[in-house]
Amino acid sequence: MFQSEIQVVTARNQPIRFRWKRQWYSILSIEDDRVDTGEWWNGEGEKTFYRVFAEDGVFEIYYDEKEKAWHMYRVYD
């Protein structure tokens, strides 16, 4: 798990492209999404996770509502 900040372009509140490690990836499809409330008792914000198929693989990214930032969470082989 990476949890590094990434840039994301959205349309209709859905991610459509992201930039990670100086490269842009177009999202071909969103295979799954889920909301995680996190450890709210420790001050964590709600996170929305997306498992996406992109040009070069399958990735899991998330939006942290508290930070107002996108992050790379996992890269699938």
Side-chain angles (χ1 to χ4, degrees):
M1 290 177 264
F2 298 96
Q3 298 189 17
S4 61
E5 194 165 340
I6 60 174
Q7 291 176 285
V8 176
V9 175
T10 63
R12 293 182 291 266
N13 294 324
Q14 297 287 312
I16 58 170
R17 289 180 5 144
F18 64 92
R19 184 173 182 198
W20 180 56
K21 293 188 175 182
R22 299 184 193 158
Q23 181 178 343
W24 281 100
Y25 296 85
S26 291
I27 294 173
L28 305 174
S29 64
I30 297 173
E31 294 303 309
D32 187 31
D33 61 11
R34 70 183 192 289
V35 176
D36 185 315
T37 57
E39 295 180 358
W40 53 267
W41 58 92
N42 285 328
E44 283 188 10
E46 185 173 277
K47 297 174 181 74
T48 304
F49 288 81
Y50 298 90
R51 189 175 69 234
V52 300
F53 280 109
E55 305 162 0
D56 295 332
V58 180
F59 302 86
E60 193 165 354
I61 61 177
Y62 71 90
Y63 182 72
D64 187 311
E65 188 64 43
K66 184 176 181 182
E67 293 179 6
K68 304 289 187 218
W70 286 91
H71 298 270
M72 175 64 66
Y73 185 67
R74 180 177 293 153
V75 177
Y76 294 89
D77 290 332

